[in-house]
Amino acid sequence: MKIRNILLTVATTLSLTACNDFLDVEAPSSYDPEFVFSMKSEVERALNGVYAQAIVGDLYGDAYFSKFQLNSDVDITTYTSDQHSHAAYQRFDCDEQGKEILKFWTAAYSLIEYANKFIYSAENTDIIYSRDHNGNYVINEETGEKEYDAEMMQWIGEAKCLRAMAYHDLVVMFGDVPFTFTPTTERGTATIPVFDRQEIQDTLIADLAKIAPYMSSTSGVTVERCSKEFAQGLIARIALTAGGYSLRPDKTSSTSYGTMKRPDNYKDYYEIARNYAEQVIKSGTHSLKQEYQEVFVNECNYQLVNDDDPIFELPFAKLSTGNIGYIQGPAYSSYDGITTGPWGKCSASVGLNALYRYLFRDGDRRREFVNGLWSYTYVIDKVTGQQRDSLVIVKDNYKLFNNKWSKLWTAEGSALGSTSEGSTGINYPYLRYADVLLIFAEADNELNDGPTEAAMECLETVHKRAFPDGDDEFYQQASGSKEAFQKAVLDERKWEFAGENSRWRDLVRTNTYAEEIVYSFLRYYSVSAQNSIGMTGYEDAINEHDGLTYIDQLPGNVYYHRYYITEGTQAQQIIAHRMFRNQLYGYVIEKEAPYNVLSTYPNQSLQSARIFNPYKSAQKPVTSQITAGGFSADGWSTTSFYTGWGDSSNGRVKNECKNSFYGYILADANNNIWIIRNGAQTQFPSTVPAAEDLPVVRYILPYPRNVIQRSGGVYKNYYGY
């Protein structure tokens, strides 16, 4: 039975009960530990209770993506308000009163407490040792010691991986945090001391390194369970984070936002990251054989693939846990709570930066799949009076839909039903093989002061999946120097991991967050200004930074064509792929390899759209170009893109373009731009400052106020909170 089908039951019938508030009272046990940890069948059920804590909505089931995926040039949540908020986390604007912070904190430490108790009990039970068929201990002939039971060690390893996940994300989000491996039942209710992030990460690395050799490969436990490869990959991720930059507090100042620093021995961490990533690579367990799109469409169809990109997927359960594919993908509205199709409502609340699609290289297959340009709403047919679906182009939206996951990609026979909303049960790949390859490439480049053949091979393996016909220019540029290769890896991560809570973390680790936030703001601001007050003077700087010249050439009107992808001959499938892949750039037929309909648009029951012109100079296309080859054509339509981003009548830049990075850079009612340095607004200069002259981004979250109060003053916020 798949783990996701039993987690909910296990969580309620046999759980390792944790306290509701953050470790402030002893957690009563709902079972007799001596009974549970005397039978392996009960131990496995108890482990499922640990998994159940990871998939709750306040942690990885929703909040990890919807509340704490911070704004960048890839992922964005737009805001209109020009007032301080307790909980506008994505725009770096919050305080210790934010309710979602407390919920996330409590859920993370609840998972840790469950894991601590499971690990402590499992490591102190007699069944941790292997026995022969006569019930005698199996003794290792070389050491003379009792040998460990393989299943028990695997289960302990899984719990340690889940614990390390939670602590790793807490460290990334909060910096130095309370840390312990001892369950409440053993240590009492004393306040847990705060540990430096380096010590926490060192401890996590050592703990995982010790258990990883005892764990089973992904092929033996499936990607819904923590495996040896996941433990090794998680070590690599933690080590790369530990060796990178992070925001350190100035404890002598109540207003200082801190300083970006990395440890003096950062190369030691890069060596750990490289070595453990290499172990995953050399195992040969995972690959990138599937097309990029297929990886996520498979997840939307509840298919487990154990030997490809996903290494560990959080195992959500249909109609009970996980909002993946509900908060991403095209919006799909309902009428009286019912949708026309069998998929149910899609909120599409988690989206992508509206200008992200222009940051891709031409021909990247990921671009057309990920960047969603249309949604669906219901209309009432004037003739029949029946409800039907209607495709809607995004028009002047300030963000795009992230089409990586969607309930709409689920086959109709497996859809959740026309009245469903969240709790999709679609898995999330917390670690993918592509990530491991790029971790190796980044770490190896740093250690060797330039790209080695092995590092280039890892980068190429990821890149060529999106460019199967080759991209020699990219590889040549990447091989030029250490700095060029580092940029290439970061760019690859930018294109590869949209919506996976990765981009802002990559920018923090490499100390490039401030610069990218400035340019993300200026892109929005400049596009809005061009439609209200005119050119800003920053356009040339944006073009130079991006290596492109699109920012002052965006179209006021865009031509688009609605069509259905229909099954047919291979030639028809080729045309479908060409049209979808090239929708941004307007050319219709190019020399491309045949490709399956799957890689054009996953849902063939709903209309999709082709956008013809991305730039002002494009002309209206010829209808006959697209009416052949198995498509149902209803002609070309036109709509405005970007013109609604400004208001020429009052000469004001739109609030969404001024306030979505409010806690770092913003514009006032008079269109003056301000940047925040240690809590104070300072005028942004007419020339974009060099990266090293920009103030730090206060991405670190504050400890929740309730947690500080319960600690009796032991915990204290810094970073100007």
Short mmCIF file of all heavy atoms in Angstrom, two decimals, residues 300 302 318-320 325-326 332-347 387 389 406-426 603:
data_model
loop_
_atom_site.label_atom_id
_atom_site.label_comp_id
_atom_site.label_asym_id
_atom_site.label_seq_id
_atom_site.Cartn_x
_atom_site.Cartn_y
_atom_site.Cartn_z
N CYS A 300 1.17 14.72 -11.21
CA CYS A 300 -0.24 15.12 -11.23
C CYS A 300 -1.16 13.93 -11.52
O CYS A 300 -2.37 14.02 -11.27
CB CYS A 300 -0.46 16.22 -12.26
SG CYS A 300 0.37 17.78 -11.85
N TYR A 302 -0.42 10.87 -10.20
CA TYR A 302 -0.17 9.93 -9.11
C TYR A 302 0.69 8.75 -9.54
O TYR A 302 0.53 7.63 -9.06
CB TYR A 302 -1.49 9.45 -8.50
CG TYR A 302 -2.42 10.60 -8.18
CD1 TYR A 302 -3.52 10.88 -8.98
CD2 TYR A 302 -2.16 11.45 -7.11
CE1 TYR A 302 -4.36 11.96 -8.71
CE2 TYR A 302 -2.99 12.53 -6.83
CZ TYR A 302 -4.08 12.78 -7.63
OH TYR A 302 -4.89 13.85 -7.36
N LYS A 318 -4.88 11.90 -1.57
CA LYS A 318 -6.03 12.48 -2.27
C LYS A 318 -7.13 12.87 -1.29
O LYS A 318 -7.50 12.11 -0.40
CB LYS A 318 -6.61 11.47 -3.26
CG LYS A 318 -5.81 11.28 -4.53
CD LYS A 318 -6.56 10.32 -5.46
CE LYS A 318 -5.84 10.10 -6.76
NZ LYS A 318 -6.59 9.19 -7.65
N LEU A 319 -7.63 14.10 -1.47
CA LEU A 319 -8.78 14.62 -0.74
C LEU A 319 -8.55 14.74 0.76
O LEU A 319 -9.51 14.91 1.52
CB LEU A 319 -10.03 13.77 -1.02
CG LEU A 319 -10.47 13.71 -2.49
CD1 LEU A 319 -11.66 12.78 -2.65
CD2 LEU A 319 -10.81 15.10 -3.01
N SER A 320 -7.27 14.66 1.19
CA SER A 320 -7.01 14.86 2.62
C SER A 320 -5.80 15.73 2.90
O SER A 320 -5.79 16.46 3.89
CB SER A 320 -6.85 13.51 3.34
OG SER A 320 -5.73 12.82 2.85
N GLY A 325 -0.90 21.72 -7.10
CA GLY A 325 -1.78 21.59 -8.25
C GLY A 325 -3.10 22.31 -8.08
O GLY A 325 -3.85 22.48 -9.06
N TYR A 326 -3.41 22.72 -6.86
CA TYR A 326 -4.56 23.59 -6.61
C TYR A 326 -4.11 25.04 -6.54
O TYR A 326 -4.75 25.93 -7.11
CB TYR A 326 -5.27 23.18 -5.32
CG TYR A 326 -6.34 24.15 -4.87
CD1 TYR A 326 -7.52 24.26 -5.59
CD2 TYR A 326 -6.18 24.93 -3.73
CE1 TYR A 326 -8.52 25.15 -5.19
CE2 TYR A 326 -7.16 25.82 -3.32
CZ TYR A 326 -8.33 25.94 -4.04
OH TYR A 326 -9.31 26.82 -3.65
N TYR A 332 -9.03 27.94 -12.48
CA TYR A 332 -10.19 27.23 -13.06
C TYR A 332 -11.36 27.49 -12.13
O TYR A 332 -11.41 26.98 -11.01
CB TYR A 332 -9.86 25.74 -13.17
CG TYR A 332 -10.89 24.90 -13.92
CD1 TYR A 332 -11.34 25.27 -15.18
CD2 TYR A 332 -11.36 23.72 -13.37
CE1 TYR A 332 -12.24 24.49 -15.88
CE2 TYR A 332 -12.27 22.92 -14.06
CZ TYR A 332 -12.71 23.32 -15.31
OH TYR A 332 -13.61 22.53 -16.00
N SER A 333 -12.28 28.35 -12.55
CA SER A 333 -13.33 28.79 -11.65
C SER A 333 -14.54 27.87 -11.69
O SER A 333 -14.74 27.11 -12.64
CB SER A 333 -13.75 30.23 -11.99
OG SER A 333 -14.30 30.28 -13.29
N SER A 334 -15.32 27.96 -10.64
CA SER A 334 -16.51 27.12 -10.52
C SER A 334 -17.76 27.99 -10.50
O SER A 334 -17.69 29.21 -10.31
CB SER A 334 -16.43 26.29 -9.23
OG SER A 334 -16.37 27.15 -8.09
N TYR A 335 -18.88 27.35 -10.70
CA TYR A 335 -20.18 28.02 -10.66
C TYR A 335 -21.03 27.31 -9.62
O TYR A 335 -21.32 26.12 -9.76
CB TYR A 335 -20.84 27.97 -12.04
CG TYR A 335 -22.20 28.63 -12.10
CD1 TYR A 335 -22.33 30.01 -11.98
CD2 TYR A 335 -23.36 27.87 -12.30
CE1 TYR A 335 -23.57 30.62 -12.05
CE2 TYR A 335 -24.61 28.47 -12.38
CZ TYR A 335 -24.71 29.85 -12.25
OH TYR A 335 -25.94 30.46 -12.32
N ASP A 336 -21.37 28.02 -8.54
CA ASP A 336 -22.09 27.41 -7.42
C ASP A 336 -21.31 26.21 -6.87
O ASP A 336 -21.89 25.17 -6.51
CB ASP A 336 -23.50 26.97 -7.83
CG ASP A 336 -24.45 28.15 -7.95
OD1 ASP A 336 -24.12 29.23 -7.41
OD2 ASP A 336 -25.51 27.99 -8.58
N GLY A 337 -19.97 26.34 -6.85
CA GLY A 337 -19.12 25.30 -6.28
C GLY A 337 -18.85 24.12 -7.18
O GLY A 337 -18.25 23.14 -6.74
N ILE A 338 -19.26 24.20 -8.44
CA ILE A 338 -19.10 23.07 -9.36
C ILE A 338 -18.43 23.56 -10.64
O ILE A 338 -18.80 24.61 -11.17
CB ILE A 338 -20.47 22.43 -9.70
CG1 ILE A 338 -21.17 21.96 -8.42
CG2 ILE A 338 -20.30 21.27 -10.67
CD1 ILE A 338 -22.58 21.45 -8.65
N THR A 339 -17.46 22.81 -11.13
CA THR A 339 -16.83 23.14 -12.40
C THR A 339 -17.46 22.31 -13.52
O THR A 339 -18.01 21.24 -13.28
CB THR A 339 -15.32 22.86 -12.36
OG1 THR A 339 -15.08 21.50 -12.01
CG2 THR A 339 -14.63 23.77 -11.36
N THR A 340 -17.33 22.82 -14.74
CA THR A 340 -17.87 22.09 -15.89
C THR A 340 -17.16 20.76 -16.07
O THR A 340 -17.79 19.73 -16.30
CB THR A 340 -17.71 22.94 -17.16
OG1 THR A 340 -18.37 24.19 -16.96
CG2 THR A 340 -18.30 22.22 -18.37
N GLY A 341 -15.83 20.79 -15.97
CA GLY A 341 -15.05 19.57 -16.10
C GLY A 341 -14.95 18.84 -14.78
O GLY A 341 -15.38 19.33 -13.73
N PRO A 342 -14.32 17.66 -14.77
CA PRO A 342 -14.28 16.81 -13.57
C PRO A 342 -13.16 17.14 -12.59
O PRO A 342 -12.94 16.39 -11.65
CB PRO A 342 -14.06 15.42 -14.16
CG PRO A 342 -13.23 15.67 -15.38
CD PRO A 342 -13.73 16.97 -15.95
N TRP A 343 -12.46 18.27 -12.79
CA TRP A 343 -11.26 18.52 -12.00
C TRP A 343 -11.51 19.33 -10.73
O TRP A 343 -10.74 19.28 -9.80
CB TRP A 343 -10.21 19.24 -12.85
CG TRP A 343 -9.78 18.42 -14.01
CD1 TRP A 343 -8.87 17.40 -13.99
CD2 TRP A 343 -10.26 18.50 -15.35
NE1 TRP A 343 -8.73 16.86 -15.25
CE2 TRP A 343 -9.58 17.51 -16.11
CE3 TRP A 343 -11.18 19.31 -16.01
CZ2 TRP A 343 -9.80 17.33 -17.47
CZ3 TRP A 343 -11.41 19.13 -17.35
CH2 TRP A 343 -10.73 18.14 -18.07
N GLY A 344 -12.56 20.12 -10.69
CA GLY A 344 -12.80 20.97 -9.54
C GLY A 344 -12.03 22.27 -9.64
O GLY A 344 -11.14 22.45 -10.46
N LYS A 345 -12.35 23.19 -8.76
CA LYS A 345 -11.78 24.54 -8.77
C LYS A 345 -10.27 24.53 -8.56
O LYS A 345 -9.74 23.72 -7.80
CB LYS A 345 -12.44 25.37 -7.67
CG LYS A 345 -11.95 26.80 -7.58
CD LYS A 345 -12.65 27.55 -6.46
CE LYS A 345 -12.12 28.97 -6.33
NZ LYS A 345 -12.78 29.71 -5.22
N CYS A 346 -9.57 25.43 -9.25
CA CYS A 346 -8.13 25.66 -9.06
C CYS A 346 -7.93 27.12 -8.70
O CYS A 346 -8.34 28.00 -9.46
CB CYS A 346 -7.35 25.33 -10.32
SG CYS A 346 -7.52 23.64 -10.91
N SER A 347 -7.30 27.40 -7.56
CA SER A 347 -7.15 28.79 -7.12
C SER A 347 -6.02 29.51 -7.84
O SER A 347 -6.08 30.72 -8.04
CB SER A 347 -6.89 28.84 -5.61
OG SER A 347 -5.57 28.40 -5.31
N GLN A 387 -23.83 25.63 -18.67
CA GLN A 387 -22.50 26.14 -18.30
C GLN A 387 -21.44 25.48 -19.18
O GLN A 387 -21.51 24.29 -19.47
CB GLN A 387 -22.23 25.81 -16.84
CG GLN A 387 -20.85 26.20 -16.34
CD GLN A 387 -20.60 25.71 -14.93
OE1 GLN A 387 -21.51 25.25 -14.26
NE2 GLN A 387 -19.36 25.80 -14.48
N ASP A 389 -16.93 25.84 -20.26
CA ASP A 389 -15.65 26.47 -19.94
C ASP A 389 -15.25 27.46 -21.01
O ASP A 389 -15.55 27.28 -22.20
CB ASP A 389 -14.55 25.41 -19.80
CG ASP A 389 -14.78 24.51 -18.61
OD1 ASP A 389 -15.18 25.03 -17.56
OD2 ASP A 389 -14.56 23.29 -18.73
N SER A 406 -0.73 20.98 -11.90
CA SER A 406 -2.12 21.41 -11.94
C SER A 406 -3.03 20.20 -11.83
O SER A 406 -2.75 19.13 -12.38
CB SER A 406 -2.43 22.16 -13.24
OG SER A 406 -3.80 22.49 -13.30
N LYS A 407 -4.14 20.38 -11.12
CA LYS A 407 -5.18 19.35 -11.13
C LYS A 407 -5.68 19.07 -12.54
O LYS A 407 -6.14 17.98 -12.84
CB LYS A 407 -6.37 19.82 -10.28
CG LYS A 407 -6.10 19.92 -8.80
CD LYS A 407 -7.19 20.71 -8.09
CE LYS A 407 -8.54 20.07 -8.23
NZ LYS A 407 -9.59 20.85 -7.53
N LEU A 408 -5.58 20.08 -13.41
CA LEU A 408 -6.07 19.93 -14.78
C LEU A 408 -5.22 18.97 -15.59
O LEU A 408 -5.63 18.53 -16.66
CB LEU A 408 -6.11 21.29 -15.48
CG LEU A 408 -6.96 22.37 -14.80
CD1 LEU A 408 -6.92 23.66 -15.60
CD2 LEU A 408 -8.40 21.90 -14.63
N TRP A 409 -4.01 18.66 -15.11
CA TRP A 409 -3.16 17.71 -15.84
C TRP A 409 -3.54 16.27 -15.50
O TRP A 409 -3.07 15.34 -16.13
CB TRP A 409 -1.69 17.91 -15.53
CG TRP A 409 -1.11 19.28 -15.70
CD1 TRP A 409 0.10 19.71 -15.21
CD2 TRP A 409 -1.62 20.40 -16.43
NE1 TRP A 409 0.34 21.01 -15.57
CE2 TRP A 409 -0.70 21.46 -16.33
CE3 TRP A 409 -2.78 20.62 -17.17
CZ2 TRP A 409 -0.90 22.70 -16.92
CZ3 TRP A 409 -3.00 21.87 -17.76
CH2 TRP A 409 -2.06 22.88 -17.63
N THR A 410 -4.37 16.07 -14.48
CA THR A 410 -4.80 14.73 -14.10
C THR A 410 -5.77 14.18 -15.15
O THR A 410 -6.69 14.88 -15.59
CB THR A 410 -5.49 14.76 -12.73
OG1 THR A 410 -4.64 15.39 -11.78
CG2 THR A 410 -5.82 13.35 -12.27
N ALA A 411 -5.57 12.95 -15.54
CA ALA A 411 -6.47 12.32 -16.51
C ALA A 411 -7.91 12.37 -15.98
O ALA A 411 -8.15 12.24 -14.78
CB ALA A 411 -6.05 10.89 -16.77
N GLU A 412 -8.85 12.54 -16.89
CA GLU A 412 -10.24 12.72 -16.47
C GLU A 412 -10.73 11.58 -15.59
O GLU A 412 -11.49 11.79 -14.65
CB GLU A 412 -11.14 12.87 -17.71
CG GLU A 412 -10.89 14.15 -18.49
CD GLU A 412 -11.92 14.39 -19.57
OE1 GLU A 412 -13.12 14.34 -19.27
OE2 GLU A 412 -11.51 14.62 -20.72
N GLY A 413 -10.28 10.37 -15.88
CA GLY A 413 -10.73 9.23 -15.08
C GLY A 413 -10.21 9.21 -13.67
O GLY A 413 -10.76 8.53 -12.80
N SER A 414 -9.14 9.98 -13.40
CA SER A 414 -8.55 10.04 -12.06
C SER A 414 -8.79 11.38 -11.38
O SER A 414 -8.28 11.62 -10.29
CB SER A 414 -7.04 9.79 -12.15
OG SER A 414 -6.76 8.54 -12.73
N ALA A 415 -9.52 12.29 -12.04
CA ALA A 415 -9.76 13.62 -11.49
C ALA A 415 -10.51 13.53 -10.17
O ALA A 415 -11.26 12.57 -9.91
CB ALA A 415 -10.53 14.47 -12.49
N LEU A 416 -10.36 14.55 -9.35
CA LEU A 416 -10.89 14.53 -7.98
C LEU A 416 -12.37 14.86 -7.90
O LEU A 416 -12.96 14.74 -6.83
CB LEU A 416 -10.10 15.50 -7.11
CG LEU A 416 -8.61 15.19 -6.95
CD1 LEU A 416 -7.94 16.25 -6.09
CD2 LEU A 416 -8.40 13.82 -6.33
N GLY A 417 -12.95 15.32 -8.99
CA GLY A 417 -14.37 15.62 -8.97
C GLY A 417 -14.64 17.10 -9.14
O GLY A 417 -13.84 17.95 -8.74
N SER A 418 -15.80 17.42 -9.71
CA SER A 418 -16.12 18.80 -10.08
C SER A 418 -16.36 19.71 -8.88
O SER A 418 -16.37 20.93 -9.02
CB SER A 418 -17.35 18.82 -10.98
OG SER A 418 -18.46 18.24 -10.32
N THR A 419 -16.54 19.16 -7.69
CA THR A 419 -16.75 19.99 -6.49
C THR A 419 -15.50 20.09 -5.63
O THR A 419 -15.52 20.74 -4.59
CB THR A 419 -17.90 19.43 -5.64
OG1 THR A 419 -17.56 18.10 -5.21
CG2 THR A 419 -19.20 19.39 -6.42
N SER A 420 -14.40 19.45 -6.03
CA SER A 420 -13.19 19.45 -5.22
C SER A 420 -12.46 20.78 -5.32
O SER A 420 -12.63 21.54 -6.28
CB SER A 420 -12.26 18.31 -5.66
OG SER A 420 -11.76 18.56 -6.96
N GLU A 421 -11.62 21.04 -4.32
CA GLU A 421 -10.76 22.22 -4.35
C GLU A 421 -9.33 21.80 -4.01
O GLU A 421 -8.63 21.27 -4.85
CB GLU A 421 -11.31 23.31 -3.42
CG GLU A 421 -12.63 23.88 -3.90
CD GLU A 421 -13.06 25.13 -3.18
OE1 GLU A 421 -12.21 25.77 -2.52
OE2 GLU A 421 -14.25 25.49 -3.26
N GLY A 422 -8.89 22.03 -2.75
CA GLY A 422 -7.54 21.65 -2.37
C GLY A 422 -7.44 20.18 -2.00
O GLY A 422 -8.25 19.36 -2.41
N SER A 423 -6.40 19.87 -1.20
CA SER A 423 -6.13 18.48 -0.81
C SER A 423 -6.08 17.57 -2.04
O SER A 423 -6.81 16.58 -2.14
CB SER A 423 -7.18 17.98 0.19
OG SER A 423 -7.16 18.75 1.37
N THR A 424 -5.22 17.91 -2.95
CA THR A 424 -5.15 17.20 -4.23
C THR A 424 -4.46 15.86 -4.14
O THR A 424 -4.67 14.99 -4.98
CB THR A 424 -4.39 18.05 -5.25
OG1 THR A 424 -3.03 18.21 -4.82
CG2 THR A 424 -5.03 19.42 -5.43
N GLY A 425 -3.58 15.67 -3.14
CA GLY A 425 -2.82 14.43 -3.06
C GLY A 425 -1.68 14.35 -4.06
O GLY A 425 -1.02 13.31 -4.17
N ILE A 426 -1.42 15.42 -4.81
CA ILE A 426 -0.32 15.43 -5.77
C ILE A 426 0.99 15.61 -5.00
O ILE A 426 1.13 16.53 -4.20
CB ILE A 426 -0.50 16.56 -6.80
CG1 ILE A 426 -1.76 16.30 -7.64
CG2 ILE A 426 0.73 16.69 -7.70
CD1 ILE A 426 -2.14 17.46 -8.55
N ASN A 603 -3.45 18.83 -20.98
CA ASN A 603 -4.89 18.59 -21.00
C ASN A 603 -5.42 18.83 -22.41
O ASN A 603 -5.47 19.96 -22.88
CB ASN A 603 -5.60 19.51 -20.00
CG ASN A 603 -7.04 19.13 -19.80
OD1 ASN A 603 -7.72 18.68 -20.72
ND2 ASN A 603 -7.54 19.31 -18.59
#
